[in-house]
Amino acid sequence: MGDAADLFAMASSEAVAQFMLYPPYPSREHAEGVLERWIQRGESGEPVPWAITLRGEDRLIGRCGYSGYSPAHRRGRIAYDLSEAYWGRGIMPEAVRLVTLAGMTQLDLNRVEAWVIAGNRQSEQVLRKNNYRLEATMRHAIIARGQPYDALFYAVLRADLEPLP
Amino acid sequence: MIADFLKQLPTIRTERLILRRFRPGDAADIFSYTSLEEVARYMTWEAHRSEADAEAFIQHTLEALAKGEPGAWAIEHLADGRVIGSCGISDCIEGFQSVALGYVLNPAYQGRGYMAEAVRAVVRTCFQDLGVNRVEALCVTENQASAHVAQRCGLRLEGLLRQQVIIHGQFMDQQVWGLCAEDYFDTALE
């Protein structure tokens, strides 16, 4: 449970939650519940996000991982967030790069997708830096906190990144 | 929300069609089109080889509906009483109040507006009775007949997803056609 305090500190921020599906975390106990569910899911083989940490500092500063996965069509969908104190340093593009490549090399994905709530320009930049392309703008495809938002549907193909490292 | 609806699967009537639950006796009608390569070509399933495949499809669909899982209406042609196709709905992503449409029609009945008539009725049911926030259809780019139906039912082309699906071993692109409740109720002049 060592990550609960850091997770709560990140996800209780209105600035972080603004473009996420979750409302700002109300309490540290909520963060503990989230972590417990992930640990259970991970043990049963379901996808769970990685914690993002800086080298040399074993503290959670963000998350990045697969929120959906279709082996039949060899595609996966990523989701990510980052503590506000670490914005603007190129951390999220680096994490997305690693997670995208892990999906292609370890899960044999051909296509990795990400949905962005319209207006989240920083998130679009993270994806564009990793060769993701905007493929569709889907009207009201996301409901967050009871409100509909347009979804910007980004994706990168294996062919866009080859040769893979 | 959608699970309870699927368990009930209300019958829908249109001018020339009735959309209803599949019945075991529909297998011969279904097989007459699901056995065709031209129908299975853009589908994720293989062409049926025998009526037993169609019977298994019916059983699978009815079992899924009983559990509130994605399923389809049989489309019955009122004039001759035959099942000429199907139209299905499924949740896109849980919690997003959004449904994806899937549809198929016997080619012998194509070109007369039946598919659009059925899908239009399903779209109306989704917005007016089920109360969804959005409906969408993903159409394999080569399948322009499918895109044409989406367009005729008021869905709008929102983009192109590259290599989105593997169909019969091949990657294929899909067009995203979508319509949200706000736009539907702005333009619904029926």
Side-chain angles (χ1 to χ4, degrees):
Chain A
M1 288 300 103
D3 290 330
D6 292 327
L7 178 58
F8 171 61
M10 173 185 73
S12 57
S13 152
E14 174 60 37
V16 170
Q18 182 188 0
F19 291 116
M20 304 301 291
L21 298 180
Y22 56 80
Y25 284 19
S27 64
R28 185 186 153 131
E29 288 67 35
H30 183 83
E32 284 172 1
V34 169
L35 289 168
E36 273 169 31
R37 283 195 293 280
W38 285 349
I39 290 165
Q40 284 171 5
R41 275 190 215 162
E43 283 169 356
S44 62
E46 292 176 61
V48 290
W50 281 273
I52 301 171
T53 67
L54 294 178
R55 283 184 186 270
E57 292 179 34
D58 192 18
R59 294 186 53 191
L60 178 150
I61 62 166
R63 304 175 283 188
C64 188
Y66 285 89
S67 58
Y69 170 41
S70 169
H73 299 290
R74 292 179 56 200
R75 65 174 190 252
R77 178 173 299 166
I78 60 166
Y80 47 85
D81 53 11
L82 182 68
S83 183
E84 193 180 354
Y86 297 88
W87 289 4
R89 297 199 214 168
I91 290 168
M92 205 68 248
E94 192 173 329
V96 165
R97 178 174 175 275
L98 292 172
V99 169
T100 303
L101 290 174
M104 290 184 181
T105 56
Q106 292 173 39
L107 298 174
D108 196 33
L109 299 182
N110 177 65
R111 173 185 164 88
V112 180
E113 310 167 342
W115 285 30
V116 176
I117 289 180
N120 188 354
R121 292 181 185 277
Q122 286 167 292
S123 185
E124 287 190 86
Q125 280 303 317
V126 165
L127 296 168
R128 286 180 191 277
K129 283 178 184 168
N130 281 291
N131 290 90
Y132 282 71
R133 282 195 233 161
L134 178 62
E135 293 188 333
T137 300
M138 300 162 71
R139 287 276 289 147
H140 289 186
I142 294 177
I143 303 274
R145 301 189 232 174
Q147 290 294 316
Y149 294 92
D150 292 352
L152 308 178
F153 199 148
Y154 276 83
V156 65
L157 301 182
R158 173 180 283 259
D160 298 332
L161 299 180
E162 279 179 334
L164 299 178
Chain B
M1 172 183 76
I2 184 174
D4 288 339
F5 180 84
L6 288 165
K7 283 181 194 167
Q8 306 287 332
L9 202 75
T11 297
I12 303 173
R13 287 161 203 281
T14 69
E15 188 187 343
R16 297 175 293 170
L17 306 168
I18 180 162
L19 280 62
R20 57 150 174 87
R21 217 170 260 272
F22 279 104
R23 299 176 193 138
D26 296 331
D29 285 346
I30 294 168
F31 181 68
S32 68
Y33 62 88
T34 54
S35 57
L36 303 175
E37 289 297 336
E38 65 175 294
V39 170
R41 190 171 162 200
Y42 299 124
M43 303 292 166
T44 50
W45 40 268
E46 300 293 329
H48 289 174
R49 302 262 170 112
S50 69
E51 258 184 58
D53 290 341
E55 283 163 10
F57 162 79
I58 293 169
Q59 193 180 350
H60 175 265
T61 300
L62 293 177
E63 283 171 7
L65 288 173
K67 287 185 276 186
E69 292 171 3
W73 283 273
I75 301 172
E76 184 181 316
H77 186 228
L78 281 173
D80 62 14
R82 294 189 68 194
V83 169
I84 63 170
S86 64
C87 183
I89 58 172
S90 57
D91 275 79
C92 293
I93 294 180
E94 209 182 320
F96 285 178
Q97 300 165 36
S98 183
V99 293
L101 307 173
Y103 40 86
V104 60
L105 184 71
N106 186 333
Y109 291 81
Q110 278 172 8
R112 286 181 260 170
Y114 289 124
M115 196 78 260
E117 184 173 325
V119 173
R120 200 177 289 121
V122 168
V123 168
R124 187 195 305 120
T125 298
C126 285
F127 284 124
Q128 299 193 344
D129 301 336
L130 182 53
V132 301
N133 191 59
R134 171 184 161 87
V135 298
E136 68 182 43
L138 297 179
C139 305
V140 170
T141 305
E142 287 83 353
N143 189 358
Q144 278 306 299
S146 172
H148 190 57
V149 167
Q151 185 175 35
R152 288 188 62 192
C153 294
L155 278 65
R156 296 161 193 187
L157 182 59
E158 297 182 324
L160 180 70
L161 311 181
R162 298 167 296 156
Q163 300 183 14
Q164 165 77 359
V165 284
I166 299 177
I167 291 184
H168 309 308
Q170 300 276 333
F171 284 116
M172 289 193 158
D173 298 345
Q174 280 186 320
Q175 291 178 339
V176 188
W177 291 82
L179 181 63
C180 66
E182 188 179 294
D183 294 342
Y184 173 81
F185 288 109
D186 267 358
T187 55
L189 297 170
E190 294 190 62

PDB file of all heavy atoms in Angstrom, chain A residues 1-12 25 28 31 35 52-53 57-63 82-83 86:
ATOM      1  N   MET A   1       0.819  -1.218   0.000  1.00  0.00           N
ATOM      2  CA  MET A   1       0.000   0.000   0.000  1.00  0.00           C
ATOM      3  C   MET A   1       0.848   1.262   0.000  1.00  0.00           C
ATOM      4  O   MET A   1       0.345   2.350   0.213  1.00  0.00           O
ATOM      5  CB  MET A   1      -0.930   0.015   1.242  1.00  0.00           C
ATOM      6  CG  MET A   1      -2.071  -0.975   1.159  1.00  0.00           C
ATOM      7  SD  MET A   1      -3.186  -0.752  -0.230  1.00  0.00           S
ATOM      8  CE  MET A   1      -2.653  -2.061  -1.321  1.00  0.00           C
ATOM      9  N   GLY A   2       2.148   1.071  -0.228  1.00  0.00           N
ATOM     10  CA  GLY A   2       3.025   2.228  -0.164  1.00  0.00           C
ATOM     11  C   GLY A   2       2.717   3.297  -1.194  1.00  0.00           C
ATOM     12  O   GLY A   2       3.148   4.440  -1.039  1.00  0.00           O
ATOM     13  N   ASP A   3       1.986   2.951  -2.276  1.00  0.00           N
ATOM     14  CA  ASP A   3       1.699   3.926  -3.326  1.00  0.00           C
ATOM     15  C   ASP A   3       0.440   4.742  -3.064  1.00  0.00           C
ATOM     16  O   ASP A   3       0.156   5.688  -3.802  1.00  0.00           O
ATOM     17  CB  ASP A   3       1.543   3.221  -4.684  1.00  0.00           C
ATOM     18  CG  ASP A   3       2.875   2.673  -5.209  1.00  0.00           C
ATOM     19  OD1 ASP A   3       3.919   3.269  -4.900  1.00  0.00           O
ATOM     20  OD2 ASP A   3       2.843   1.660  -5.924  1.00  0.00           O
ATOM     21  N   ALA A   4      -0.331   4.378  -2.052  1.00  0.00           N
ATOM     22  CA  ALA A   4      -1.654   4.997  -1.890  1.00  0.00           C
ATOM     23  C   ALA A   4      -1.550   6.506  -1.670  1.00  0.00           C
ATOM     24  O   ALA A   4      -2.320   7.274  -2.263  1.00  0.00           O
ATOM     25  CB  ALA A   4      -2.417   4.341  -0.741  1.00  0.00           C
ATOM     26  N   ALA A   5      -0.601   6.921  -0.840  1.00  0.00           N
ATOM     27  CA  ALA A   5      -0.493   8.353  -0.552  1.00  0.00           C
ATOM     28  C   ALA A   5      -0.122   9.125  -1.814  1.00  0.00           C
ATOM     29  O   ALA A   5      -0.685  10.197  -2.101  1.00  0.00           O
ATOM     30  CB  ALA A   5       0.547   8.594   0.542  1.00  0.00           C
ATOM     31  N   ASP A   6       0.809   8.581  -2.606  1.00  0.00           N
ATOM     32  CA  ASP A   6       1.220   9.263  -3.836  1.00  0.00           C
ATOM     33  C   ASP A   6       0.100   9.251  -4.879  1.00  0.00           C
ATOM     34  O   ASP A   6      -0.111  10.238  -5.587  1.00  0.00           O
ATOM     35  CB  ASP A   6       2.477   8.601  -4.412  1.00  0.00           C
ATOM     36  CG  ASP A   6       3.697   8.809  -3.524  1.00  0.00           C
ATOM     37  OD1 ASP A   6       3.778   9.873  -2.876  1.00  0.00           O
ATOM     38  OD2 ASP A   6       4.544   7.902  -3.465  1.00  0.00           O
ATOM     39  N   LEU A   7      -0.604   8.117  -4.955  1.00  0.00           N
ATOM     40  CA  LEU A   7      -1.715   8.030  -5.903  1.00  0.00           C
ATOM     41  C   LEU A   7      -2.804   9.037  -5.526  1.00  0.00           C
ATOM     42  O   LEU A   7      -3.348   9.746  -6.387  1.00  0.00           O
ATOM     43  CB  LEU A   7      -2.278   6.602  -5.929  1.00  0.00           C
ATOM     44  CG  LEU A   7      -3.482   6.363  -6.843  1.00  0.00           C
ATOM     45  CD1 LEU A   7      -3.171   6.727  -8.294  1.00  0.00           C
ATOM     46  CD2 LEU A   7      -3.939   4.897  -6.758  1.00  0.00           C
ATOM     47  N   PHE A   8      -3.111   9.102  -4.246  1.00  0.00           N
ATOM     48  CA  PHE A   8      -4.121  10.062  -3.796  1.00  0.00           C
ATOM     49  C   PHE A   8      -3.681  11.496  -4.083  1.00  0.00           C
ATOM     50  O   PHE A   8      -4.463  12.313  -4.583  1.00  0.00           O
ATOM     51  CB  PHE A   8      -4.406   9.877  -2.293  1.00  0.00           C
ATOM     52  CG  PHE A   8      -5.276  10.963  -1.728  1.00  0.00           C
ATOM     53  CD1 PHE A   8      -6.559  11.167  -2.210  1.00  0.00           C
ATOM     54  CD2 PHE A   8      -4.814  11.792  -0.707  1.00  0.00           C
ATOM     55  CE1 PHE A   8      -7.376  12.177  -1.702  1.00  0.00           C
ATOM     56  CE2 PHE A   8      -5.612  12.802  -0.198  1.00  0.00           C
ATOM     57  CZ  PHE A   8      -6.895  12.997  -0.698  1.00  0.00           C
ATOM     58  N   ALA A   9      -2.407  11.785  -3.830  1.00  0.00           N
ATOM     59  CA  ALA A   9      -1.913  13.150  -4.060  1.00  0.00           C
ATOM     60  C   ALA A   9      -2.076  13.534  -5.535  1.00  0.00           C
ATOM     61  O   ALA A   9      -2.473  14.660  -5.855  1.00  0.00           O
ATOM     62  CB  ALA A   9      -0.439  13.256  -3.648  1.00  0.00           C
ATOM     63  N   MET A  10      -1.805  12.581  -6.430  1.00  0.00           N
ATOM     64  CA  MET A  10      -1.936  12.879  -7.856  1.00  0.00           C
ATOM     65  C   MET A  10      -3.394  13.008  -8.267  1.00  0.00           C
ATOM     66  O   MET A  10      -3.798  13.995  -8.891  1.00  0.00           O
ATOM     67  CB  MET A  10      -1.292  11.773  -8.705  1.00  0.00           C
ATOM     68  CG  MET A  10      -1.569  11.972 -10.189  1.00  0.00           C
ATOM     69  SD  MET A  10      -0.979  10.647 -11.231  1.00  0.00           S
ATOM     70  CE  MET A  10      -2.158   9.382 -10.842  1.00  0.00           C
ATOM     71  N   ALA A  11      -4.200  11.996  -7.920  1.00  0.00           N
ATOM     72  CA  ALA A  11      -5.536  11.875  -8.507  1.00  0.00           C
ATOM     73  C   ALA A  11      -6.588  12.680  -7.764  1.00  0.00           C
ATOM     74  O   ALA A  11      -7.740  12.708  -8.169  1.00  0.00           O
ATOM     75  CB  ALA A  11      -5.931  10.401  -8.587  1.00  0.00           C
ATOM     76  N   SER A  12      -6.210  13.307  -6.675  1.00  0.00           N
ATOM     77  CA  SER A  12      -7.159  14.197  -5.999  1.00  0.00           C
ATOM     78  C   SER A  12      -7.115  15.597  -6.602  1.00  0.00           C
ATOM     79  O   SER A  12      -7.924  16.452  -6.283  1.00  0.00           O
ATOM     80  CB  SER A  12      -6.848  14.273  -4.498  1.00  0.00           C
ATOM     81  OG  SER A  12      -5.517  14.705  -4.312  1.00  0.00           O
ATOM     82  N   TYR A  25     -10.056  12.031  -6.677  1.00  0.00           N
ATOM     83  CA  TYR A  25     -10.177  11.066  -5.567  1.00  0.00           C
ATOM     84  C   TYR A  25     -10.530  11.816  -4.288  1.00  0.00           C
ATOM     85  O   TYR A  25      -9.878  12.812  -3.945  1.00  0.00           O
ATOM     86  CB  TYR A  25      -8.853  10.324  -5.366  1.00  0.00           C
ATOM     87  CG  TYR A  25      -8.551   9.239  -6.380  1.00  0.00           C
ATOM     88  CD1 TYR A  25      -9.194   9.181  -7.610  1.00  0.00           C
ATOM     89  CD2 TYR A  25      -7.600   8.262  -6.094  1.00  0.00           C
ATOM     90  CE1 TYR A  25      -8.892   8.180  -8.522  1.00  0.00           C
ATOM     91  CE2 TYR A  25      -7.296   7.262  -7.002  1.00  0.00           C
ATOM     92  CZ  TYR A  25      -7.938   7.231  -8.219  1.00  0.00           C
ATOM     93  OH  TYR A  25      -7.618   6.240  -9.117  1.00  0.00           O
ATOM     94  N   ARG A  28      -7.644   9.192   0.718  1.00  0.00           N
ATOM     95  CA  ARG A  28      -6.564   8.224   0.598  1.00  0.00           C
ATOM     96  C   ARG A  28      -7.123   6.797   0.596  1.00  0.00           C
ATOM     97  O   ARG A  28      -6.592   5.906  -0.079  1.00  0.00           O
ATOM     98  CB  ARG A  28      -5.593   8.415   1.768  1.00  0.00           C
ATOM     99  CG  ARG A  28      -4.376   7.538   1.650  1.00  0.00           C
ATOM    100  CD  ARG A  28      -3.517   7.635   2.896  1.00  0.00           C
ATOM    101  NE  ARG A  28      -2.776   6.389   3.028  1.00  0.00           N
ATOM    102  CZ  ARG A  28      -1.479   6.322   3.249  1.00  0.00           C
ATOM    103  NH1 ARG A  28      -0.791   7.424   3.430  1.00  0.00           N
ATOM    104  NH2 ARG A  28      -0.875   5.160   3.337  1.00  0.00           N
ATOM    105  N   ALA A  31      -7.910   5.715  -2.839  1.00  0.00           N
ATOM    106  CA  ALA A  31      -6.703   5.295  -3.566  1.00  0.00           C
ATOM    107  C   ALA A  31      -6.289   3.889  -3.144  1.00  0.00           C
ATOM    108  O   ALA A  31      -5.882   3.072  -3.984  1.00  0.00           O
ATOM    109  CB  ALA A  31      -5.567   6.291  -3.308  1.00  0.00           C
ATOM    110  N   LEU A  35      -5.894   0.572  -5.629  1.00  0.00           N
ATOM    111  CA  LEU A  35      -4.674  -0.253  -5.676  1.00  0.00           C
ATOM    112  C   LEU A  35      -4.985  -1.711  -5.353  1.00  0.00           C
ATOM    113  O   LEU A  35      -4.466  -2.623  -6.002  1.00  0.00           O
ATOM    114  CB  LEU A  35      -3.634   0.300  -4.700  1.00  0.00           C
ATOM    115  CG  LEU A  35      -2.997   1.630  -5.118  1.00  0.00           C
ATOM    116  CD1 LEU A  35      -2.205   2.225  -3.963  1.00  0.00           C
ATOM    117  CD2 LEU A  35      -2.096   1.456  -6.331  1.00  0.00           C
ATOM    118  N   ILE A  52       4.315   4.846 -12.802  1.00  0.00           N
ATOM    119  CA  ILE A  52       5.463   5.567 -13.356  1.00  0.00           C
ATOM    120  C   ILE A  52       6.283   6.097 -12.186  1.00  0.00           C
ATOM    121  O   ILE A  52       5.722   6.745 -11.278  1.00  0.00           O
ATOM    122  CB  ILE A  52       5.007   6.744 -14.245  1.00  0.00           C
ATOM    123  CG1 ILE A  52       4.140   6.242 -15.405  1.00  0.00           C
ATOM    124  CG2 ILE A  52       6.214   7.522 -14.765  1.00  0.00           C
ATOM    125  CD1 ILE A  52       3.460   7.361 -16.199  1.00  0.00           C
ATOM    126  N   THR A  53       7.580   5.800 -12.195  1.00  0.00           N
ATOM    127  CA  THR A  53       8.475   6.346 -11.170  1.00  0.00           C
ATOM    128  C   THR A  53       9.701   6.931 -11.870  1.00  0.00           C
ATOM    129  O   THR A  53      10.038   6.512 -12.981  1.00  0.00           O
ATOM    130  CB  THR A  53       8.962   5.257 -10.176  1.00  0.00           C
ATOM    131  OG1 THR A  53       9.799   4.332 -10.888  1.00  0.00           O
ATOM    132  CG2 THR A  53       7.793   4.497  -9.563  1.00  0.00           C
ATOM    133  N   GLU A  57      14.115   7.205  -7.703  1.00  0.00           N
ATOM    134  CA  GLU A  57      13.105   7.637  -6.718  1.00  0.00           C
ATOM    135  C   GLU A  57      11.937   6.679  -6.816  1.00  0.00           C
ATOM    136  O   GLU A  57      11.179   6.731  -7.772  1.00  0.00           O
ATOM    137  CB  GLU A  57      12.600   9.053  -7.025  1.00  0.00           C
ATOM    138  CG  GLU A  57      13.621  10.139  -6.816  1.00  0.00           C
ATOM    139  CD  GLU A  57      13.041  11.508  -7.165  1.00  0.00           C
ATOM    140  OE1 GLU A  57      11.824  11.716  -6.935  1.00  0.00           O
ATOM    141  OE2 GLU A  57      13.790  12.339  -7.678  1.00  0.00           O
ATOM    142  N   ASP A  58      11.778   5.838  -5.846  1.00  0.00           N
ATOM    143  CA  ASP A  58      10.764   4.796  -5.934  1.00  0.00           C
ATOM    144  C   ASP A  58       9.404   5.304  -5.443  1.00  0.00           C
ATOM    145  O   ASP A  58       8.850   4.799  -4.481  1.00  0.00           O
ATOM    146  CB  ASP A  58      11.214   3.559  -5.138  1.00  0.00           C
ATOM    147  CG  ASP A  58      10.333   2.362  -5.453  1.00  0.00           C
ATOM    148  OD1 ASP A  58       9.643   2.383  -6.489  1.00  0.00           O
ATOM    149  OD2 ASP A  58      10.323   1.420  -4.646  1.00  0.00           O
ATOM    150  N   ARG A  59       8.909   6.330  -6.125  1.00  0.00           N
ATOM    151  CA  ARG A  59       7.600   6.897  -5.760  1.00  0.00           C
ATOM    152  C   ARG A  59       6.726   6.994  -7.001  1.00  0.00           C
ATOM    153  O   ARG A  59       7.210   7.376  -8.072  1.00  0.00           O
ATOM    154  CB  ARG A  59       7.768   8.317  -5.212  1.00  0.00           C
ATOM    155  CG  ARG A  59       8.507   8.389  -3.919  1.00  0.00           C
ATOM    156  CD  ARG A  59       8.467   9.825  -3.426  1.00  0.00           C
ATOM    157  NE  ARG A  59       7.093  10.339  -3.363  1.00  0.00           N
ATOM    158  CZ  ARG A  59       6.800  11.614  -3.162  1.00  0.00           C
ATOM    159  NH1 ARG A  59       7.755  12.508  -3.048  1.00  0.00           N
ATOM    160  NH2 ARG A  59       5.541  11.999  -3.097  1.00  0.00           N
ATOM    161  N   LEU A  60       5.437   6.667  -6.842  1.00  0.00           N
ATOM    162  CA  LEU A  60       4.504   6.768  -7.961  1.00  0.00           C
ATOM    163  C   LEU A  60       4.265   8.238  -8.301  1.00  0.00           C
ATOM    164  O   LEU A  60       3.886   9.026  -7.432  1.00  0.00           O
ATOM    165  CB  LEU A  60       3.179   6.088  -7.588  1.00  0.00           C
ATOM    166  CG  LEU A  60       2.033   6.116  -8.615  1.00  0.00           C
ATOM    167  CD1 LEU A  60       1.161   4.876  -8.453  1.00  0.00           C
ATOM    168  CD2 LEU A  60       1.164   7.369  -8.489  1.00  0.00           C
ATOM    169  N   ILE A  61       4.511   8.594  -9.574  1.00  0.00           N
ATOM    170  CA  ILE A  61       4.187   9.959 -10.006  1.00  0.00           C
ATOM    171  C   ILE A  61       3.136   9.964 -11.123  1.00  0.00           C
ATOM    172  O   ILE A  61       2.694  11.014 -11.575  1.00  0.00           O
ATOM    173  CB  ILE A  61       5.442  10.731 -10.475  1.00  0.00           C
ATOM    174  CG1 ILE A  61       6.082  10.041 -11.696  1.00  0.00           C
ATOM    175  CG2 ILE A  61       6.446  10.880  -9.333  1.00  0.00           C
ATOM    176  CD1 ILE A  61       7.115  10.930 -12.395  1.00  0.00           C
ATOM    177  N   GLY A  62       2.765   8.767 -11.577  1.00  0.00           N
ATOM    178  CA  GLY A  62       1.760   8.676 -12.627  1.00  0.00           C
ATOM    179  C   GLY A  62       1.480   7.228 -12.948  1.00  0.00           C
ATOM    180  O   GLY A  62       2.018   6.327 -12.305  1.00  0.00           O
ATOM    181  N   ARG A  63       0.619   7.036 -13.956  1.00  0.00           N
ATOM    182  CA  ARG A  63       0.242   5.679 -14.355  1.00  0.00           C
ATOM    183  C   ARG A  63       0.163   5.626 -15.876  1.00  0.00           C
ATOM    184  O   ARG A  63      -0.196   6.609 -16.516  1.00  0.00           O
ATOM    185  CB  ARG A  63      -1.142   5.311 -13.806  1.00  0.00           C
ATOM    186  CG  ARG A  63      -1.263   5.432 -12.329  1.00  0.00           C
ATOM    187  CD  ARG A  63      -2.678   5.163 -11.879  1.00  0.00           C
ATOM    188  NE  ARG A  63      -3.566   6.295 -12.135  1.00  0.00           N
ATOM    189  CZ  ARG A  63      -4.812   6.387 -11.711  1.00  0.00           C
ATOM    190  NH1 ARG A  63      -5.349   5.377 -11.041  1.00  0.00           N
ATOM    191  NH2 ARG A  63      -5.546   7.442 -11.973  1.00  0.00           N
ATOM    192  N   LEU A  82      -0.615  11.736 -15.002  1.00  0.00           N
ATOM    193  CA  LEU A  82       0.674  12.135 -14.431  1.00  0.00           C
ATOM    194  C   LEU A  82       0.440  13.242 -13.418  1.00  0.00           C
ATOM    195  O   LEU A  82      -0.336  14.168 -13.667  1.00  0.00           O
ATOM    196  CB  LEU A  82       1.605  12.631 -15.548  1.00  0.00           C
ATOM    197  CG  LEU A  82       3.019  13.059 -15.133  1.00  0.00           C
ATOM    198  CD1 LEU A  82       3.831  11.843 -14.682  1.00  0.00           C
ATOM    199  CD2 LEU A  82       3.730  13.764 -16.292  1.00  0.00           C
ATOM    200  N   SER A  83       1.150  13.137 -12.302  1.00  0.00           N
ATOM    201  CA  SER A  83       1.063  14.152 -11.260  1.00  0.00           C
ATOM    202  C   SER A  83       1.435  15.525 -11.818  1.00  0.00           C
ATOM    203  O   SER A  83       2.419  15.664 -12.552  1.00  0.00           O
ATOM    204  CB  SER A  83       2.001  13.763 -10.114  1.00  0.00           C
ATOM    205  OG  SER A  83       1.889  14.697  -9.072  1.00  0.00           O
ATOM    206  N   TYR A  86       4.872  17.128 -12.331  1.00  0.00           N
ATOM    207  CA  TYR A  86       5.835  16.580 -13.296  1.00  0.00           C
ATOM    208  C   TYR A  86       5.464  16.884 -14.743  1.00  0.00           C
ATOM    209  O   TYR A  86       6.090  16.377 -15.669  1.00  0.00           O
ATOM    210  CB  TYR A  86       5.978  15.066 -13.075  1.00  0.00           C
ATOM    211  CG  TYR A  86       6.546  14.743 -11.717  1.00  0.00           C
ATOM    212  CD1 TYR A  86       5.707  14.587 -10.614  1.00  0.00           C
ATOM    213  CD2 TYR A  86       7.920  14.635 -11.526  1.00  0.00           C
ATOM    214  CE1 TYR A  86       6.218  14.330  -9.359  1.00  0.00           C
ATOM    215  CE2 TYR A  86       8.445  14.364 -10.275  1.00  0.00           C
ATOM    216  CZ  TYR A  86       7.596  14.216  -9.194  1.00  0.00           C
ATOM    217  OH  TYR A  86       8.104  13.959  -7.952  1.00  0.00           O
TER     218      TYR A  86
END
